[in-house]
Structures are given as C-alpha cells and as structure tokens.
Amino acid sequence: KCANPQALRDLYGEIEEKHESHGNNLMFSARLPDVGRSTDQVREDFEKALKAHPACSGLEFQVCVASVSYKGSTVTREGGGGADRCVFIDILPIRAGKGAALHFIRETLFPTTLDRTVVAGDSGNDVSMFLFGSGFRGVMVGNAKAELLAVQNPSLHVVAQARFAAGVTEGLQALGFAA
C-alpha cells in the first residue's frame, strides 16, 4: 500500500479502510467522511498522494470515487433533506477493475459476443465497465452519479428514469433485452 497517509488525513480526518482491502496489497478501498470536496477533487487528492510516495514510483493506478447520501442504512437521492453524505474510494492497478474483469469473463469463462453483453451501474466504480475496450452496451440507472453519467455514449448507453433495479429493467427493455 503506497500513499502519503498524513497528507490525506490532514484533508479527510479519519479514513475508514473497508474490510475487503485489509491485507490486500493490490488494492485499497475506504469510506471517507464528507468534507465538501467533489468526487473529482477527491480523485485528484488521492492521485497526488500516490504519486508523491516513493513506494508508488512507476506504478499506475486507477482511482474510482463515488459519493453517497444516506439516512441510516438507506441510500437516498443526492442532496435529500437530512441525509448524511460520505465518499467511497477504490484504488486499483490500472489493469484491474470491473471493466477488465468483465472482459476476462466474456472472453475466457463464458465466451459471448459484444451484442449479447450489457452492463449496468450507478457510480464511479462502474465507469471502467462502460469504457473498457470499444465499450459495452449499458444501462445507467436513474440514481446514477455524475461521475458515471459523464462517460455516457448515447450510441451504447441508456440512461433510465427509474432508479435501482427498476432502472436496470427499464434499460434492458430500451436495449431490446426484455419485453
């Protein structure tokens, strides 16, 4: 794990590492408190900290950031009244991620053509699926975050009005996968 932890703590306070990255030297996953920074600013902060650390010299990473609003354990619409906000961040090797994993599955484990492959997502950690290679067809659900919507390709991707699973169903219908 390489980064300048003090510089990041100065900006974000206590950084809560998620359990899936404990003991995993290939990735880092954390929940950050809301300090009023945009997802782009958070990504830049972490990229700068990675580049400044000697242990990271020559390594290439992707930094995925997603902002979440919630009440209790329920995710809410961004900016919902009385909702708390936090930021999730994943740092992975440049050749890792959901897009590369999907490509491997589609090419190796369950060979299928691009026209029979659809992805769905709602936040920044889904971007690599929508951009990998020449791009997979996909559904961005109604509650999708700005960092995902920013990579929308209208010729490949549907932005649903419905949220969560209902948005996936709506998108599959629009793409001709469901009646």
Side-chain angles (χ1 to χ4, degrees), residues 4-13 15 45 49:
N4 183 343
Q6 191 55 52
L8 295 171
R9 282 191 202 96
D10 290 347
L11 279 171
Y12 295 98
I15 297 172
D45 293 341

Side-chain angles (χ1 to χ4, degrees), residues 33-120:
D34 178 23
V35 294
R37 296 178 72 73
S38 72
T39 55
D40 286 338
Q41 290 170 317
V42 172
R43 183 177 304 103
E44 289 169 10
D45 293 341
F46 274 79
E47 287 173 349
K48 183 177 176 182
L50 287 166
K51 289 176 184 171
H53 196 282
C56 296
S57 177
L59 300 176
E60 294 184 66
F61 294 93
Q62 59 178 314
V63 179
C64 305
V65 181
S67 62
V68 178
S69 295
Y70 61 94
K71 285 185 181 176
S73 62
T74 304
V75 175
T76 65
R77 187 176 296 275
E78 188 70 33
D84 293 314
R85 182 177 172 269
C86 67
V87 176
F88 290 100
I89 185 162
D90 294 316
I91 301 172
L92 304 162
I94 197 73
R95 296 184 64 174
K98 290 182 178 183
L102 179 60
H103 179 74
F104 174 79
I105 290 167
R106 195 184 65 74
E107 292 286 322
T108 307
L109 300 177
F110 300 102
T112 188
T113 58
L114 276 175
D115 66 314
R116 295 181 44 91
T117 305
V118 178
V119 299

Side-chain angles (χ1 to χ4, degrees), residues 120-126 130 139-141 143-148 164:
D122 67 352
S123 65
N125 69 351
D126 298 316
F130 287 84
V139 178
M140 297 176 182
V141 294
N143 54 298
K145 304 291 182 194
E147 61 264 19
L148 180 60
F164 306 107

